Amino acid sequence: MGQIKILLLIGAIALSLFTFFELALRWFFGFGKPLIYQADPEIGYLLAPSQTTRRFGNRITINRYSMRSAEIRDEPEPGIKRILLLGDSIANGGWWTDQEQILSTLIGNKLKEERGKPVEVLNISANSWCPRNEIAYVRKYGTFGSQWIILLINTDDLFGTAPTSIPVGRDRFYPNQYPPLGIVEAFTRFVLPYESPPEMAEVRAEKGDRVGFNLQAIQDIHTYAQEHQAQVLLAMTPLKRELGEPGPRDYEWKARKRLLALTEAAQMPYIDFLPIFNAQDTPETLYRDHIHLSPLGYQLVTETLCSQNETRKSSA
């Protein structure tokens, strides 16, 4: 009987510890309820609509159109200016940025403060999107009556591959359902070695003029916007390694020149953040890693975009 009691006690302690860790992972870190993705034949993938979660204390809200925004009307209410922010994880903000600190919220708040009128900034974005994913979204869902589209890309986006649904439900960073337990998700993300679906090797080896494909997608976004009474403001943030000397690599300079030629030919407003970031005293503080921006980086981008938007207010 004594051994049975000991075993029961050990079992009770183990169950209590398991329950404690499970609840702690869910409550403090948000494990067990990651953002869910869904496949799309044209877009490749997008965030599943109508979901809300918290990750590491940061609130994330996805509306019914898979935007990282509150629910919206299909068309803006009279007197409300609507801007569409289109981009990848930099625009999205990821799990490390609270809903109140993402770029679209900051831009909306600053423009509202400056104009004294309500401004809606819709956040259409997902991790690792490139212009080819973004034009597919716009073609499917439209511009939602936006007067301006801010197309925010980074240098890597010029080399982005064709949209694919392969990662959805197979790559641990693109789940299509909730894990059974928060402990299971934490173990999968931080303990098990990362393995990309083998089919992604073929996607990454895409042949042809990849830069040209993405430049065409940018041109198509610009054309689509004009057809729907909207204007495009293109902005590109650099990779952290591009700052200072020696700067971008040769192939990146060539892609940048092609992008600049496109914007000049299309008369598309364009902001290159490389010289803007380099002009700062400590540009490295604008980043949280090699590509994603810190709060200081978001602040500088917000101020620059809003300043550019205000100078063109009369044409919006």
Side-chain angles (χ1 to χ4, degrees), residues 64-81:
R64 70 183 186 276
Y65 292 112
S66 297
M67 304 175 185
R68 189 169 180 185
S69 300
E71 290 297 341
I72 62 166
R73 298 175 53 166
D74 290 348
E75 296 289 331
E77 296 183 20
I80 294 182
K81 181 176 182 178

PDB file of all heavy atoms in Angstrom, residues 64-81:
ATOM      1  N   ARG A  64     -12.103  39.679 -40.884  1.00  0.00           N
ATOM      2  CA  ARG A  64     -12.674  38.674 -41.792  1.00  0.00           C
ATOM      3  C   ARG A  64     -12.059  38.702 -43.185  1.00  0.00           C
ATOM      4  O   ARG A  64     -12.281  37.778 -43.973  1.00  0.00           O
ATOM      5  CB  ARG A  64     -14.192  38.858 -41.882  1.00  0.00           C
ATOM      6  CG  ARG A  64     -14.668  40.097 -42.620  1.00  0.00           C
ATOM      7  CD  ARG A  64     -16.183  40.169 -42.565  1.00  0.00           C
ATOM      8  NE  ARG A  64     -16.751  41.244 -43.358  1.00  0.00           N
ATOM      9  CZ  ARG A  64     -16.871  42.502 -42.948  1.00  0.00           C
ATOM     10  NH1 ARG A  64     -16.455  42.826 -41.722  1.00  0.00           N
ATOM     11  NH2 ARG A  64     -17.414  43.421 -43.724  1.00  0.00           N
ATOM     12  N   TYR A  65     -11.270  39.735 -43.487  1.00  0.00           N
ATOM     13  CA  TYR A  65     -10.572  39.799 -44.768  1.00  0.00           C
ATOM     14  C   TYR A  65      -9.092  39.434 -44.628  1.00  0.00           C
ATOM     15  O   TYR A  65      -8.290  39.758 -45.499  1.00  0.00           O
ATOM     16  CB  TYR A  65     -10.709  41.187 -45.381  1.00  0.00           C
ATOM     17  CG  TYR A  65     -12.118  41.519 -45.811  1.00  0.00           C
ATOM     18  CD1 TYR A  65     -12.852  42.505 -45.156  1.00  0.00           C
ATOM     19  CD2 TYR A  65     -12.730  40.832 -46.864  1.00  0.00           C
ATOM     20  CE1 TYR A  65     -14.154  42.809 -45.549  1.00  0.00           C
ATOM     21  CE2 TYR A  65     -14.022  41.122 -47.263  1.00  0.00           C
ATOM     22  CZ  TYR A  65     -14.728  42.118 -46.600  1.00  0.00           C
ATOM     23  OH  TYR A  65     -16.018  42.412 -46.989  1.00  0.00           O
ATOM     24  N   SER A  66      -8.748  38.783 -43.544  1.00  0.00           N
ATOM     25  CA  SER A  66      -7.371  38.343 -43.274  1.00  0.00           C
ATOM     26  C   SER A  66      -6.397  39.498 -43.106  1.00  0.00           C
ATOM     27  O   SER A  66      -5.190  39.347 -43.293  1.00  0.00           O
ATOM     28  CB  SER A  66      -6.882  37.399 -44.380  1.00  0.00           C
ATOM     29  OG  SER A  66      -7.667  36.227 -44.419  1.00  0.00           O
ATOM     30  N   MET A  67      -6.908  40.680 -42.749  1.00  0.00           N
ATOM     31  CA  MET A  67      -6.055  41.827 -42.457  1.00  0.00           C
ATOM     32  C   MET A  67      -5.693  41.830 -40.969  1.00  0.00           C
ATOM     33  O   MET A  67      -6.476  41.384 -40.133  1.00  0.00           O
ATOM     34  CB  MET A  67      -6.796  43.138 -42.730  1.00  0.00           C
ATOM     35  CG  MET A  67      -7.353  43.293 -44.108  1.00  0.00           C
ATOM     36  SD  MET A  67      -8.328  44.839 -44.164  1.00  0.00           S
ATOM     37  CE  MET A  67      -8.999  44.737 -45.818  1.00  0.00           C
ATOM     38  N   ARG A  68      -4.545  42.373 -40.651  1.00  0.00           N
ATOM     39  CA  ARG A  68      -4.241  42.607 -39.233  1.00  0.00           C
ATOM     40  C   ARG A  68      -4.829  43.968 -38.860  1.00  0.00           C
ATOM     41  O   ARG A  68      -4.142  44.967 -38.652  1.00  0.00           O
ATOM     42  CB  ARG A  68      -2.742  42.567 -38.947  1.00  0.00           C
ATOM     43  CG  ARG A  68      -2.507  42.601 -37.436  1.00  0.00           C
ATOM     44  CD  ARG A  68      -1.114  42.321 -36.982  1.00  0.00           C
ATOM     45  NE  ARG A  68      -1.090  42.391 -35.525  1.00  0.00           N
ATOM     46  CZ  ARG A  68      -0.016  42.296 -34.763  1.00  0.00           C
ATOM     47  NH1 ARG A  68       1.173  42.101 -35.319  1.00  0.00           N
ATOM     48  NH2 ARG A  68      -0.103  42.386 -33.450  1.00  0.00           N
ATOM     49  N   SER A  69      -6.140  43.986 -38.812  1.00  0.00           N
ATOM     50  CA  SER A  69      -6.904  45.204 -38.549  1.00  0.00           C
ATOM     51  C   SER A  69      -8.210  44.826 -37.882  1.00  0.00           C
ATOM     52  O   SER A  69      -8.628  43.651 -37.929  1.00  0.00           O
ATOM     53  CB  SER A  69      -7.213  45.958 -39.856  1.00  0.00           C
ATOM     54  OG  SER A  69      -6.035  46.339 -40.532  1.00  0.00           O
ATOM     55  N   ALA A  70      -8.854  45.817 -37.277  1.00  0.00           N
ATOM     56  CA  ALA A  70     -10.192  45.602 -36.736  1.00  0.00           C
ATOM     57  C   ALA A  70     -11.165  45.382 -37.891  1.00  0.00           C
ATOM     58  O   ALA A  70     -10.842  45.634 -39.055  1.00  0.00           O
ATOM     59  CB  ALA A  70     -10.611  46.807 -35.903  1.00  0.00           C
ATOM     60  N   GLU A  71     -12.348  44.917 -37.574  1.00  0.00           N
ATOM     61  CA  GLU A  71     -13.358  44.714 -38.612  1.00  0.00           C
ATOM     62  C   GLU A  71     -13.685  46.046 -39.289  1.00  0.00           C
ATOM     63  O   GLU A  71     -13.704  47.100 -38.644  1.00  0.00           O
ATOM     64  CB  GLU A  71     -14.621  44.104 -38.019  1.00  0.00           C
ATOM     65  CG  GLU A  71     -14.451  42.656 -37.579  1.00  0.00           C
ATOM     66  CD  GLU A  71     -14.112  41.719 -38.736  1.00  0.00           C
ATOM     67  OE1 GLU A  71     -14.355  42.086 -39.909  1.00  0.00           O
ATOM     68  OE2 GLU A  71     -13.599  40.621 -38.474  1.00  0.00           O
ATOM     69  N   ILE A  72     -13.942  45.989 -40.575  1.00  0.00           N
ATOM     70  CA  ILE A  72     -14.183  47.199 -41.357  1.00  0.00           C
ATOM     71  C   ILE A  72     -15.436  47.038 -42.203  1.00  0.00           C
ATOM     72  O   ILE A  72     -15.938  45.930 -42.409  1.00  0.00           O
ATOM     73  CB  ILE A  72     -12.996  47.482 -42.302  1.00  0.00           C
ATOM     74  CG1 ILE A  72     -12.827  46.326 -43.300  1.00  0.00           C
ATOM     75  CG2 ILE A  72     -11.727  47.735 -41.522  1.00  0.00           C
ATOM     76  CD1 ILE A  72     -11.936  46.638 -44.461  1.00  0.00           C
ATOM     77  N   ARG A  73     -15.922  48.157 -42.695  1.00  0.00           N
ATOM     78  CA  ARG A  73     -16.948  48.138 -43.727  1.00  0.00           C
ATOM     79  C   ARG A  73     -16.273  47.959 -45.071  1.00  0.00           C
ATOM     80  O   ARG A  73     -15.100  48.281 -45.246  1.00  0.00           O
ATOM     81  CB  ARG A  73     -17.733  49.458 -43.703  1.00  0.00           C
ATOM     82  CG  ARG A  73     -18.475  49.696 -42.401  1.00  0.00           C
ATOM     83  CD  ARG A  73     -19.134  51.059 -42.378  1.00  0.00           C
ATOM     84  NE  ARG A  73     -20.001  51.297 -43.550  1.00  0.00           N
ATOM     85  CZ  ARG A  73     -20.872  52.280 -43.621  1.00  0.00           C
ATOM     86  NH1 ARG A  73     -21.019  53.115 -42.601  1.00  0.00           N
ATOM     87  NH2 ARG A  73     -21.618  52.444 -44.702  1.00  0.00           N
ATOM     88  N   ASP A  74     -17.009  47.445 -46.051  1.00  0.00           N
ATOM     89  CA  ASP A  74     -16.420  47.236 -47.366  1.00  0.00           C
ATOM     90  C   ASP A  74     -15.962  48.548 -47.997  1.00  0.00           C
ATOM     91  O   ASP A  74     -14.975  48.579 -48.734  1.00  0.00           O
ATOM     92  CB  ASP A  74     -17.423  46.540 -48.295  1.00  0.00           C
ATOM     93  CG  ASP A  74     -17.654  45.090 -47.895  1.00  0.00           C
ATOM     94  OD1 ASP A  74     -16.890  44.575 -47.060  1.00  0.00           O
ATOM     95  OD2 ASP A  74     -18.604  44.486 -48.411  1.00  0.00           O
ATOM     96  N   GLU A  75     -16.650  49.619 -47.702  1.00  0.00           N
ATOM     97  CA  GLU A  75     -16.287  50.947 -48.188  1.00  0.00           C
ATOM     98  C   GLU A  75     -16.182  51.890 -46.990  1.00  0.00           C
ATOM     99  O   GLU A  75     -16.903  51.733 -46.008  1.00  0.00           O
ATOM    100  CB  GLU A  75     -17.321  51.476 -49.180  1.00  0.00           C
ATOM    101  CG  GLU A  75     -17.421  50.668 -50.468  1.00  0.00           C
ATOM    102  CD  GLU A  75     -16.204  50.839 -51.359  1.00  0.00           C
ATOM    103  OE1 GLU A  75     -15.575  51.919 -51.295  1.00  0.00           O
ATOM    104  OE2 GLU A  75     -15.881  49.898 -52.104  1.00  0.00           O
ATOM    105  N   PRO A  76     -15.288  52.876 -47.038  1.00  0.00           N
ATOM    106  CA  PRO A  76     -15.158  53.803 -45.904  1.00  0.00           C
ATOM    107  C   PRO A  76     -16.407  54.653 -45.728  1.00  0.00           C
ATOM    108  O   PRO A  76     -17.111  54.959 -46.691  1.00  0.00           O
ATOM    109  CB  PRO A  76     -13.952  54.664 -46.294  1.00  0.00           C
ATOM    110  CG  PRO A  76     -13.899  54.589 -47.787  1.00  0.00           C
ATOM    111  CD  PRO A  76     -14.375  53.208 -48.143  1.00  0.00           C
ATOM    112  N   GLU A  77     -16.670  55.015 -44.502  1.00  0.00           N
ATOM    113  CA  GLU A  77     -17.788  55.908 -44.223  1.00  0.00           C
ATOM    114  C   GLU A  77     -17.475  57.298 -44.773  1.00  0.00           C
ATOM    115  O   GLU A  77     -16.309  57.674 -44.934  1.00  0.00           O
ATOM    116  CB  GLU A  77     -18.039  55.989 -42.715  1.00  0.00           C
ATOM    117  CG  GLU A  77     -18.477  54.678 -42.088  1.00  0.00           C
ATOM    118  CD  GLU A  77     -18.789  54.838 -40.612  1.00  0.00           C
ATOM    119  OE1 GLU A  77     -19.038  55.989 -40.198  1.00  0.00           O
ATOM    120  OE2 GLU A  77     -18.777  53.831 -39.893  1.00  0.00           O
ATOM    121  N   PRO A  78     -18.495  58.075 -45.087  1.00  0.00           N
ATOM    122  CA  PRO A  78     -18.268  59.428 -45.612  1.00  0.00           C
ATOM    123  C   PRO A  78     -17.384  60.252 -44.683  1.00  0.00           C
ATOM    124  O   PRO A  78     -17.574  60.254 -43.465  1.00  0.00           O
ATOM    125  CB  PRO A  78     -19.689  60.014 -45.689  1.00  0.00           C
ATOM    126  CG  PRO A  78     -20.574  58.815 -45.839  1.00  0.00           C
ATOM    127  CD  PRO A  78     -19.936  57.730 -45.010  1.00  0.00           C
ATOM    128  N   GLY A  79     -16.404  60.921 -45.256  1.00  0.00           N
ATOM    129  CA  GLY A  79     -15.528  61.785 -44.478  1.00  0.00           C
ATOM    130  C   GLY A  79     -14.321  61.098 -43.883  1.00  0.00           C
ATOM    131  O   GLY A  79     -13.468  61.755 -43.288  1.00  0.00           O
ATOM    132  N   ILE A  80     -14.243  59.777 -44.022  1.00  0.00           N
ATOM    133  CA  ILE A  80     -13.109  59.040 -43.465  1.00  0.00           C
ATOM    134  C   ILE A  80     -12.137  58.678 -44.579  1.00  0.00           C
ATOM    135  O   ILE A  80     -12.513  58.061 -45.573  1.00  0.00           O
ATOM    136  CB  ILE A  80     -13.577  57.765 -42.733  1.00  0.00           C
ATOM    137  CG1 ILE A  80     -14.392  58.144 -41.499  1.00  0.00           C
ATOM    138  CG2 ILE A  80     -12.371  56.913 -42.332  1.00  0.00           C
ATOM    139  CD1 ILE A  80     -14.855  56.963 -40.681  1.00  0.00           C
ATOM    140  N   LYS A  81     -10.890  59.080 -44.415  1.00  0.00           N
ATOM    141  CA  LYS A  81      -9.853  58.726 -45.379  1.00  0.00           C
ATOM    142  C   LYS A  81      -9.398  57.300 -45.107  1.00  0.00           C
ATOM    143  O   LYS A  81      -9.174  56.916 -43.966  1.00  0.00           O
ATOM    144  CB  LYS A  81      -8.671  59.691 -45.266  1.00  0.00           C
ATOM    145  CG  LYS A  81      -7.553  59.393 -46.253  1.00  0.00           C
ATOM    146  CD  LYS A  81      -6.464  60.436 -46.161  1.00  0.00           C
ATOM    147  CE  LYS A  81      -5.372  60.174 -47.189  1.00  0.00           C
ATOM    148  NZ  LYS A  81      -4.324  61.195 -47.159  1.00  0.00           N
TER     149      LYS A  81
END
